[in-house]
Each structure stands twice: as C-alpha cells, then as structure tokens.
Amino acid sequence: MAITSIKNLKEFSTVNERFEGAHLLCPGCAHSMIVRELMNATDDNLVIATNTGCLEVSTAVYPYTSWDTSWIHIGFENAASAISGAEAMYKARKRKGTLKDPDAPVKFVAFGGDGSTYDIGFQWLSGAIERGHDFTYICLDNENYANTGGQRSSSTPIGAHTSTAQAGRVSYGKKQKKKDMIAIMAAHGAPYVAQLAPNKWKIMAKGFQKALETEGPCFINTVSACTTEWKFNPKDTIHLTDLATDTLMFPVYEIINGTELNILYRPKNVLPVEEYLAAQGRYKHLFKPENKHVIEKIQKEIDAKWEYLQRREEARV
Amino acid sequence: MSKGVLATEKRGMRELGAEKAVGWDVVTQGTLLYPFESELKDVAHIRPEERPYSDFNSYTATVASWRVVKPVYNRDVCIDCQNCWVWCPDTSIISRDKQMLGIDYDHCKGCGVCAEVCPTNPKSLIMFAEAEEIEDALAKWPEKKKKAK
Ligand SMILES: Cc1ncc(C[n+]2csc(CCOP(=O)(O)OP(=O)(O)O)c2C)c(N)n1
Ligand code: SF4
Ligand code: SF4
Ligand code: SF4
Ligand SMILES: [Mg+2]
C-alpha cells in the first residue's frame, strides 16, 4: 500500500486532504483532528462507514458531504456491519473480475463514537471482528453520547458528571468504571489493537498506518477530547490531550495478535491525575472535600493499570 | 434527485442554512451526494485547488460566521513547523510544499488551537477579534518574550 511519509510534520503536510472543512463539528473538536490524520496517513482509496454520532451528523448535513471518498452511513450501530458488507463485496467482485479498476488499492475503515462502539454497536463490531473482515475500526472515544446531549456511556469514567449520571448533593457522577474495550478487542484475537491520542501525532499516524497495512480486523481506540461535554476552552484540546496521556489516564499502547503488548508512549514526568481532572468542568465536583476519595480511587486505578500494562509488555502474553 | 438545487459560486460564498434549502422530504433513504462534478480517480494525488468540487461538497460552503475571534498569521516569525496544520480540526491551515501559506477563512471556526500549538516566540499565529483588520493586527504584533528566570 502507499503510505504517506510521516518522517516529520513538514513532509506529512504535503498530502492532499480528503476531509473537507465546513463540517459542523464544534470548534476545537478532536473528532476531526483524528479523522483528518487517518485519511492523510494513506493515499490509497478509502471506503469509510460511520456510525451515527457527532462525526456522522456533522459531516453529512444535507445537501453537503465533507468526505472526498466513498462514505456510507446506515444507522447508529452498524458501521462495522456496513463495512463488512462493502469489504466482502469488494473481494467477491475482485474474484469474479467485475471490478472496474481491480488494481487500485482500497482500504476499508469504520468510525464510531464510544456510545456506538462500547454500547449500542458492541455486538455488531464483535461479529465483524470475529468474522475476520479486512478493515480498521476507529472509535472516537469522548466518553459520552455527545451528539444527544452528553449521556453516560460504558466508556464514561467513574466520577464524571454527565446528563444522565449527574453530580450533586447525593451523587459524585458516574459510579461505574470505564469498560476496557481495548482488552475486549484484543481478546477477540484481532491482529492489531491500540489506544492512540492525537497529541502524539506521529505515534497515532504510525498506528493508523500499521492498522491499514495489517490484513484482518483492527481496532483503535482514540482519545477524542470533547470541548462541549468535558467543558474546557476549545483552544485547549491538544493541551488537555497532553494531560490525558501524561497522567496516564489514557495510556498509549498497542496489542498485536492479542498477546504482544507494546507501550508506545512513556511520559517523562507522569503527572498526578488531579491536573487532568481540574482542567475539565465535568470533574469539578470531585474537588469538594466529600468527593476527594473518588480522586484517590481514580489515581489508584491508573497506577494499577500502568503496572499491569508494563508487566504484560514484559511477559509477552 | 435534482442536482444543483443550491447552486452557488464555487466556494466561500454561502452561509450554511442561510438560504432556503430543499425540504427534508427530499432526503430519503439511499440519498447520494457526489463530492465532485465528475468521477475522480486518485483524489489523494490531486491538489484541492485542482479538484472539480460539486455544490454538494462542504468545501463550497462556509462557516466563517461561527467566528468571534480569528487567527492572524505572521509570516515573519513562522518556522513552517506545521503544528498548526496537523492539529487544525477544520482543514483550515493552507500548507503547500512544506510551507505554511495562511488561513482558509471560509472554513476556520476560530477555535484557537493553531495559535495555542504554535511554538515560535513571539507566536506566528495570534487570535484577534473577528472585526480587527489584518494589517492592524500585524502592526500590533508583540515583541519576543524574554524567558522567565
Ligand atoms: C439505535 C439508536 N439509538 C439512539 C440514537 C440516538 N443517537 C444519535 S447520536 C447518539 C449519541 C452518539 O454517541 P457516541 O456514539 O458516543 O458518538 P459522539 O456523538 O459522542 O461522537 C445517540 C444516542 C440513534 N440514532 N439510534
Ligand atoms: S459535542 Fe463534543 S464530540 Fe460533539 S462536535 Fe462538539 S466537541 Fe465534538
Ligand atoms: S482557529 Fe481553529 S479552525 Fe481556525 S485555523 Fe486555527 S485551528 Fe483551524
Ligand atoms: S505552528 Fe506557527 S511556526 Fe509552525 S507552521 Fe504554524 S504558524 Fe508557522
Ligand atoms: Mg461519544
């Protein structure tokens, strides 16, 4: 496949963009930073399916499309199924010799939010991975159902305020832990699974290229800071993502064939999680004295997870 | 489906939602939107300025009215690092041949990310009020900041 040079940003910036402006995502939304980078990471033809959510709703506002590629939206939960169908049809037609341009390289990609990936499209994604289609699924993880007003999802972390897990006099926000989707996808035996973050643009572009090049179903969870629901100033999207990776709230790592775990980014100075939490309105209530125990719990879990990831990396199992 | 219902000049002329759009009853399942006037092979090797964008491509629309503040670009201090390019969420940093050329004010929403990630001292991108004239903004450019000890 033809991959774009990502040796340095200057070279990367010579690609011809295929994701157009005047989409309607909020100013500073990380969804489009991630999508642009995926599309810029290759010059192969792309067939893209997108679940319902901010990305889909904002890039296909009739009569406009922001996609200079083949792009399909069917429903909330079924981008993984739609892309499976497209990929299977492409293979069948290639076999039968009915493709117009059989030698043109094509990559199949699906995008979904955390709501459609962790919850509502979960079984559809699981099925597509198990069937072994050759595609890359990218979850734009903003830890809530942003498009419908910020409801909690199974990706929302403990302690976060959402419109359906509100913080107030009797509650500190969401009570349950975030689902470990990366482990679940790796347990499917998918050849490439990773968690990546747009602030680390090179690691992310490399991961995207690896997934696109790998035959079989690949899953990538990307940290997508949501200025509206996380409640921070749009100019700070990258700064906040720095805090996410440097507090290890979002460790950056990959798992190959379900076993080989590689940590892709080790912060020089690991920051206390307070710095990440304090930068967002959705965690504001945790700084009240009665909620201090939640911050301690979050920090403990981050430390334990980091320890676990490092051990797995070493053990190669 | 009728084509060109919202036909307009090639780009940057129209405000999204500013004129009467066709009714939603026109949008049925299976609606197709063609981003280009003709079938394009190998889009990734055609520069945006050479593409035959169709009226259905959001490239031909503008979100300029979203802005309260706008980034102003000062070529004098820029090192063409392309930080602004990689992180702009709205494909609004125009870079060609490894050079930063300027801002696409039809698609920029004024989020301020580019100014935030610009590493030069003073910055090569600074946010100014939307109404500020570019020349006036450039005349007000701050001096290099001394490192705090
Ligand atoms: C089956 C179904 N349930 C609910 C909805 C309503 N709905 C549309 S977008 C959305 C939220 C999407 O959240 P997420 O997948 O996390 O994407 P985000 O908007 O956060 O990027 C919901 C609940 C729907 N369209 N279809
Ligand atoms: S609500 Fe959040 S995810 Fe949705 S467009 Fe706005 S910033 Fe992006
Ligand atoms: S202000 Fe935001 S949208 Fe405008 S050019 Fe800068 S990063 Fe892009
Ligand atoms: S981030 Fe600043 S220095 Fe780098 S290319 Fe953009 S304007 Fe120039
Ligand atoms: Mg979401």
Side-chain angles (χ1 to χ4, degrees):
Chain A
M1 82 175 241
I3 52 174
T4 309
S5 169
I6 52 163
K7 221 167 46 201
N8 55 53
L9 258 190
K10 281 194 191 196
E11 287 208 8
F12 193 18
S13 74
T14 60
V15 305
N16 297 305
E17 310 249 7
R18 285 181 283 175
F19 185 69
E20 298 294 352
H23 54 71
L24 302 189
L25 291 160
C26 298
C29 176
H31 278 9
S32 37
M33 296 180 185
I34 296 161
V35 171
R36 270 187 68 225
E37 192 158 324
L38 180 281
M39 295 180 80
N40 285 340
T42 179
D43 61 5
D44 286 355
N45 292 324
L46 288 167
V47 178
I48 299 179
T50 304
N51 280 333
T52 311
C54 282
L55 177 70
E56 171 270 323
V57 162
S58 308
T59 57
V61 185
Y62 189 78
Y64 296 112
T65 172
S66 302
W67 304 85
D68 296 348
T69 58
S70 304
W71 181 85
I72 184 168
H73 165 255
I74 300 178
F76 187 92
E77 63 287 316
N78 50 24
S81 312
I83 209 69
S84 299
E87 185 257 6
M89 179 187 72
Y90 175 81
K91 276 194 172 153
R93 290 190 57 178
K94 196 161 186 165
R95 213 170 39 239
K96 290 183 185 159
T98 59
L99 282 178
K100 231 199 249 174
D101 197 355
D103 300 323
V106 184
K107 292 286 179 277
F108 296 87
V109 176
F111 287 108
D114 52 294
S116 66
T117 304
Y118 285 60
D119 300 339
I120 303 178
F122 186 66
Q123 62 166 318
W124 315 62
L125 171 59
S126 177
I129 302 254
E130 185 271 334
R131 289 191 302 272
H133 293 280
D134 185 11
F135 73 110
T136 295
Y137 188 101
I138 295 178
C139 175
L140 303 165
D141 184 7
N142 58 13
E143 304 186 319
N144 75 95
Y145 288 82
N147 190 240
T148 38
Q151 293 81 11
R152 60 87 91 188
S153 78
S154 60
S155 167
T156 307
I158 187 168
H161 165 93
T162 71
S163 60
T164 48
Q166 301 202 354
R169 235 173 340 109
V170 293
S171 176
Y172 56 76
K174 195 187 165 198
K175 295 263 166 47
Q176 299 83 2
K177 287 208 294 195
K178 183 185 172 103
K179 186 189 274 180
D180 189 350
M181 195 65 184
I182 296 108
I184 294 168
M185 289 292 113
H188 280 68
Y192 188 77
V193 172
Q195 174 155 275
L196 304 169
N199 59 325
K200 302 290 161 203
W201 71 266
K202 199 174 192 169
I203 299 173
M204 189 165 87
K206 258 195 200 153
F208 285 166
Q209 294 186 337
K210 222 168 174 174
L212 292 171
E213 274 175 284
T214 301
E215 212 179 307
C218 302
F219 175 85
I220 296 175
N221 198 63
T222 55
V223 189
S224 188
C226 167
T227 136
T228 303
E229 297 300 339
W230 295 13
K231 300 182 175 55
F232 63 89
N233 190 319
K235 75 177 173 50
D236 292 326
T237 303
I238 290 303
H239 171 61
L240 195 83
T241 314
D242 280 339
L243 291 174
T245 54
D246 289 15
T247 55
L248 297 172
M249 188 79 179
F250 278 94
V252 178
Y253 63 103
E254 62 184 15
I255 305 176
I256 296 166
N257 295 324
T259 51
E260 199 183 312
L261 190 149
N262 302 310
I263 292 168
L264 301 175
Y265 170 65
R266 278 169 220 278
K268 276 193 200 87
N269 298 310
V270 177
L271 302 171
V273 75
E274 275 97 335
E275 292 197 24
Y276 171 71
L277 303 177
Q280 304 165 66
R282 67 173 170 155
Y283 291 118
K284 193 173 66 194
H285 55 284
L286 293 187
F287 292 86
K288 290 184 186 158
E290 66 269 28
N291 291 333
K292 271 267 150 55
H293 68 281
V294 185
I295 299 187
E296 278 161 28
K297 194 177 156 92
I298 295 172
Q299 186 65 64
K300 252 196 205 143
E301 271 165 18
I302 288 177
D303 296 346
K305 181 72 181 279
W306 187 235
E307 175 71 28
Y308 166 81
L309 292 175
Q310 295 185 95
R311 282 207 194 177
R312 266 199 67 179
E313 180 179 47
E314 225 178 272
R316 303 322 256 173
V317 285
Chain B
M1 202 174 87
S2 61
K3 199 166 179 311
V5 269
L6 288 175
T8 181
E9 331 288 326
K10 261 280 110 4
R11 60 171 312 210
M13 302 306 291
R14 185 177 28 189
E15 210 50 66
L16 282 177
E19 40 190 288
K20 200 173 170 323
V22 288
W24 281 98
D25 53 343
V26 175
V27 187
T28 57
Q29 284 168 350
T31 297
L32 293 176
L33 298 174
Y34 294 97
F36 303 113
E37 290 290 348
S38 51
E39 206 174 308
L40 266 204
K41 252 177 137 179
D42 230 4
V43 184
H45 292 130
I46 307 174
R47 291 193 162 193
E49 50 274 28
E50 282 144 21
R51 295 175 188 166
Y53 285 114
S54 81
D55 289 339
F56 296 105
N57 197 309
S58 71
Y59 181 85
T60 62
T62 176
V63 286
S65 70
W66 289 33
R67 277 196 309 272
V68 186
V69 286
K70 66 180 173 203
V72 175
Y73 173 56
N74 189 336
R75 176 85 213 150
D76 295 348
V77 251
C78 174
I79 54 168
D80 291 311
C81 68
Q82 305 298 343
N83 276 2
C84 53
W85 171 81
V86 78
W87 284 309
C88 172
D90 291 281
T91 324
S92 296
I93 299 291
I94 306 167
S95 289
R96 298 285 183 272
D97 303 321
K98 304 183 185 178
Q99 264 201 21
M100 152 65 164
L101 298 184
I103 290 136
D104 173 351
Y105 284 119
D106 290 327
H107 298 144
C108 163
K109 294 177 188 147
C111 67
V113 164
C114 54
E116 210 55 35
V117 298
C118 179
T120 58
N121 180 5
K123 282 186 182 286
S124 314
L125 284 163
I126 295 179
M127 303 305 288
F128 284 88
E130 177 64 21
E132 182 92 38
E133 296 291 340
I134 302 279
E135 282 151 42
D136 296 343
L138 287 172
K140 288 182 194 165
W141 217 260
E143 295 289 309
K144 184 174 174 151
K145 251 196 228 130
K146 291 213 176 64
K147 271 216 178 107
K149 278 215 182 118

